[in-house]
Amino acid sequence: MTLTFIWTTVGALLTLCVYSFLYKDNPFYKFAEHLVVGVSAGYYLVIYYFNFIDPNVVRPVFQLELGGEAVAFGGTEWWMALIPGLLGLLLYTRFFPKIAWVGRWPLGIYVGGYAGLGISPVMQARVIDQMQAASSPLAGVPDPFAAATNAALGFAIFVVLTYFLLVKRHIVARGIAMSIGAVVLSAVAGYGGYVVLSALSAQGVVSMTNILLVVGLLGTLAYFFFSMRHAGLLGGLARIGIIFLMVGFGASFGYTVMSRISLLIGRVSFLLTDWLHLI
Amino acid sequence: MMRASLAVLSVLIVALSCGWASAQDDPVPIETGLAPPDTIPDILPPAPATDLTAVDLVDNDDAGDKIELTWTLSPDDAGGMRDVTGYYLWRSESPDARGDTLALVVAGTSSFVDDTAVPGVPYYYAVTATDGTSLSGEAAFGPVSGRRDWFTVSRLAVLVLAAIFFALVLAFTRLAEKGAELFVRRIPGLNAIEEAVGRATEMGRPVLYVPGIGEIDNIMTIASLTILSHVAKITARYETPLIVPTARAVVMSAAEEVVKEAYAEAGKPDAYNPDNIRYLSDAQFAFAGAVNGIMLRERPAANLYLGAFWAESLLLAETGFEAGAIQVAGTAMVSQLPFFVTACDYTLLGEELYAASAYLSREPKLLGGLKGSDWMKIITIGLIVVGIIMNLAGADAFVEWFHTN
């Protein structure tokens, strides 16, 4: 009980040291920062040795046993374990200027091997599967996301029309009554759009969700086209693409901020419940 | 005599009823390890199953350990006496013996996949119907053996598109090597990098370059090191200190090489300070904490975050923003881009990071890769449009061809 309290107190005090950074950089934060960097360096040294070097090199080569059984190197001959072991050692040639160039060989094998192994799965998962999913029928199919898509498009009509009337047509400068009228008109147009789109979706004539998906995808691909200047048709498509990207980033930002807030709640709960027993 | 006949008939009816009840209670296949009821007296065996065939099953990642058995159901299964409760499957390595029981499957089943075959070993299979008390005659087939397949037909689309992509990359690389002028549009974020370094020089403060926390095998880290070379040349020219904190030991080695070489190419080898290429920690948040400390204590005027970042992205960018530094970020980590877009002055989005490294270095291999992927995008757009049209026309075979398992 006492030991638990001591360690909880240490954790709580270090938490407060880190949070003191919110005020400004100070010796308490500096202490916590150096402690975590130092501890993590030692911790990872041990983790790397016991998780990688020991089971993959030391035990197979020296025929050591683990749990009563000799450790094999991935079901192959023991001497095969020497190859990655030697490649790892070659990295240290950088400390000897005359043969430092040898250290580039293991790096080359490491990077090249990973790139080669990654090509097939990446081509399958990130290109072909996505392409197949994007080739969705645009009409004559049930649209499970119709309500949300139509509402979003109706809202988009309202926002764009409001911006166009108030800012581009300078209605905002013509008085409050005109401005309210423009907003109401935009709202009516947005709602009208929503009703029309809903009627089309209900009849199964078009799938607005799939159309939106395809337009967004083509626009985004156009944005990441580097061989031509973004002008004309390509420029228009790229502009649509960047709008889709920003909408996506906004949603992702909001989602992640919520998860970070939950982390904060978890930490405050630790301080108030586990440490101070106030809750 | 009459009583004896009735007794025999009663026994038969009870036996059939038990068999039927057993079939009803046994809805799933029962795997190997069961002793077949050879010793049970055979009262009235069911008619045998027929036409047993066994073929090597070809599937994805085919290791040659699967053989598919199919047979025609016993006439007593769904018709006739309707007393078949299941089928015993047998496997032997000799044509003269029935061998071991492979499995017992319920009535109505006419196929089974033996996934315990050893590749290359010839097997003889047999199937017998059972009514719960006796076995029918057998249907046999063999020999058949499993074979490892080197090519998975269902992934043909991957091969075709990968081959097209490689052909494009090689063709454009060759063109670039021959000196052809390959156009790559200027990326706005790149101008910002030069502006940021210039500002740091004017203020007499260092430039901080964070190459992410990815390993050296991460393509984003490799692209980042190419941009680091460009940045190091500018800082060498202006004699502005360049601080490069790293989270991986191998990345630190590579960064040292890159910066040293860039300073030498800029004609300022003596200005290179190895102490500024630092390994901090492999632990994600320890690294973030330490970089935050550098930002507040050494006060760099320009913070460049280019590479693979995870949850530490906002911690770094927000601290840099608070410290008043001009910030340029770039990553292909989609989940972290929103934070950089929010907290930095300029952001290289996704593939712009790779395009930037090709644009800056003008290295034929990188240019070839960039142009090849651009043309691949055009092909992808074309295939999507064709796929949509085919889908609308009701011909989904085209899209199905791209279906991979």
Side-chain angles (χ1 to χ4, degrees):
Chain A
M1 181 66 183
T2 314
L3 200 63
T4 307
F5 177 74
I6 290 170
W7 283 116
T8 308
T9 305
V10 169
L13 291 177
L14 284 173
T15 303
L16 293 175
C17 285
V18 171
Y19 279 147
S20 68
F21 184 74
L22 292 170
Y23 170 59
K24 67 174 187 179
D25 190 27
N26 62 73
F28 294 108
Y29 174 75
K30 211 180 281 186
F31 168 73
E33 176 201 321
H34 285 76
L35 185 68
V36 72
V37 169
V39 167
S40 68
Y43 175 75
Y44 274 94
L45 179 71
V46 175
I47 288 286
Y48 283 149
Y49 178 79
F50 283 104
N51 282 3
F52 298 102
I53 298 173
D54 185 61
N56 292 318
V57 180
V58 177
R59 285 183 183 274
V61 170
F62 295 102
Q63 302 285 292
L64 298 177
E65 291 186 346
L66 188 68
E69 287 185 23
V71 179
F73 179 67
T76 56
E77 297 292 331
W78 68 268
W79 54 265
M80 299 272 283
L82 286 173
I83 298 172
L86 286 174
L87 285 173
L89 283 176
L90 288 181
L91 282 172
Y92 292 98
T93 57
R94 56 190 294 273
F95 293 116
F96 309 98
K98 281 188 180 174
I99 53 165
W101 59 272
V102 179
R104 292 183 177 183
W105 279 88
L107 276 180
I109 292 169
Y110 188 45
V111 174
Y114 261 95
L117 287 170
I119 283 169
S120 173
V122 167
M123 182 61 86
Q124 181 180 347
R126 297 195 184 174
V127 179
I128 294 178
D129 287 355
Q130 306 292 329
M131 199 169 73
Q132 199 205 10
S135 302
S136 321
L138 304 184
V141 288
D143 186 350
F145 305 106
T149 306
N150 295 335
L153 286 172
F155 185 69
I157 292 171
F158 165 69
V159 171
V160 171
L161 198 59
T162 305
Y163 175 77
F164 176 76
L165 292 175
L166 293 184
V167 181
K168 292 285 180 184
R169 289 288 171 188
H170 308 292
I171 288 179
V172 73
R174 295 188 201 169
I176 187 79
M178 286 287 280
S179 300
I180 291 173
V183 172
V184 170
L185 183 69
S186 305
V188 170
Y191 183 71
Y194 167 72
V195 170
V196 171
L197 291 171
S198 299
L200 287 172
S201 300
Q203 298 300 315
V205 178
V206 290
S207 166
M208 290 310 296
T209 307
N210 288 356
I211 291 174
L212 212 57
L213 174 79
V214 170
V215 170
L217 177 71
L218 297 186
T220 307
L221 280 173
Y223 176 79
F224 288 109
F225 194 73
F226 299 99
S227 294
M228 285 169 72
R229 283 192 181 82
H230 282 174
L233 176 66
L234 184 68
L237 265 175
R239 190 148 187 80
I240 292 173
I242 197 73
I243 289 170
F244 272 82
L245 280 174
M246 290 305 155
V247 169
F249 289 160
S252 176
F253 186 85
Y255 173 77
T256 312
V257 165
M258 291 308 291
S259 69
R260 298 288 168 88
I261 293 288
S262 81
L263 287 179
L264 174 68
I265 291 169
R267 213 59 207 159
V268 172
S269 165
F270 165 74
L271 292 175
L272 298 182
T273 309
D274 297 351
W275 186 43
L276 297 176
H277 301 289
L278 292 177
I279 300 175
Chain B
M1 184 65 188
M2 184 71 174
R3 284 189 177 186
S5 302
L6 280 171
V8 169
L9 192 61
S10 304
V11 169
L12 197 61
I13 289 168
V14 170
L16 288 171
S17 307
C18 290
W20 177 249
S22 166
Q24 296 299 305
D25 294 338
D26 205 2
V28 292
I30 302 165
E31 292 298 332
T32 55
L34 293 177
D38 275 335
T39 53
I40 297 172
D42 186 2
I43 299 172
L44 192 63
T50 51
D51 303 328
L52 175 68
T53 56
V55 291
D56 175 29
L57 182 69
V58 178
D59 62 356
N60 288 327
D61 303 322
D62 186 21
D65 57 353
K66 295 185 187 72
I67 292 174
E68 186 175 27
L69 311 175
T70 52
W71 60 89
T72 303
L73 295 177
S74 160
D76 288 337
D77 191 319
M81 296 293 286
R82 294 180 184 274
D83 62 347
V84 172
T85 57
Y87 296 90
Y88 278 100
L89 299 164
W90 314 78
R91 188 177 77 181
S92 168
E93 293 181 25
S94 160
D96 305 323
R98 183 184 273 174
D100 300 324
T101 316
L102 185 64
L104 169 61
V105 295
V106 292
T109 308
S110 61
S111 66
F112 180 79
V113 175
D114 172 15
D115 58 2
T116 59
V118 177
V121 174
Y123 290 113
Y124 296 85
Y125 290 93
V127 59
T128 57
T130 177
D131 57 8
T133 56
S134 58
L135 297 175
S136 71
E138 66 179 38
F141 188 91
V144 62
S145 54
R147 189 169 55 89
R148 283 193 181 94
D149 287 300
W150 289 94
F151 190 78
T152 307
V153 179
S154 66
R155 291 191 186 172
L156 184 63
V158 178
L159 178 71
V160 170
L161 287 189
I164 293 171
F165 178 59
F166 288 144
L168 287 169
V169 171
L170 289 173
F172 280 112
T173 305
R174 189 92 185 104
L175 274 175
E177 280 171 348
K178 281 183 174 176
E181 194 58 42
L182 298 181
F183 175 80
V184 177
R185 73 174 165 84
R186 179 80 180 169
I187 299 158
L190 286 181
N191 297 333
I193 290 177
E194 287 181 21
E195 279 171 30
V197 177
R199 182 172 177 243
T201 308
E202 283 168 11
M203 296 175 78
R205 287 180 10 201
V207 171
L208 179 75
Y209 188 101
V210 187
I213 63 167
E215 268 291 1
I216 193 72
D217 59 288
N218 192 313
I219 190 72
M220 284 179 258
T221 308
I222 296 168
S224 175
L225 291 176
T226 310
I227 300 173
L228 173 62
S229 169
H230 172 72
V231 172
K233 277 177 199 160
I234 304 173
T235 55
R237 209 162 50 231
Y238 296 157
E239 295 191 5
T240 305
L242 172 66
I243 302 170
V244 185
T246 61
R248 310 286 172 208
V250 182
V251 175
M252 189 196 80
S253 303
E256 275 183 337
E257 293 276 340
V258 165
V259 175
K260 198 173 170 183
E261 233 173 73
Y263 272 70
E265 279 179 34
K268 299 279 179 64
D270 295 337
Y272 167 66
N273 181 2
D275 291 341
N276 278 345
I277 318 295
R278 303 169 189 171
Y279 167 78
L280 298 178
S281 171
D282 268 76
Q284 180 184 21
F285 292 110
F287 175 77
V291 175
N292 285 351
I294 292 173
M295 285 183 204
L296 293 174
R297 283 161 222 144
E298 303 189 37
R299 313 290 296 177
N303 297 337
L304 310 175
Y305 314 104
L306 298 152
F309 291 87
W310 280 264
E312 73 287 351
S313 63
L314 189 57
L315 296 177
L316 300 176
E318 195 56 33
T319 307
F321 176 78
E322 287 293 325
I326 184 168
Q327 303 199 100
V328 181
T331 184
M333 300 293 287
V334 179
S335 55
Q336 304 308 320
L337 275 170
F339 304 119
F340 282 143
V341 169
T342 311
C344 295
D345 299 281
Y346 294 94
T347 306
L348 299 176
L349 301 175
E351 209 182 334
E352 286 182 339
L353 179 69
Y354 310 127
S357 64
Y359 182 91
L360 291 171
S361 67
R362 306 304 293 182
E363 168 73 29
K365 289 187 185 73
L366 293 178
L367 274 177
L370 184 66
K371 300 295 274 188
S373 58
D374 263 5
W375 278 91
M376 200 64 205
K377 279 172 213 150
I378 293 176
I379 292 171
T380 306
I381 289 174
L383 289 172
I384 290 173
V385 172
V386 172
I388 290 169
I389 293 168
M390 299 288 264
N391 255 334
L392 284 171
D396 54 1
F398 178 78
V399 176
E400 272 306 304
W401 189 72
F402 291 100
H403 183 77
T404 54
N405 295 315

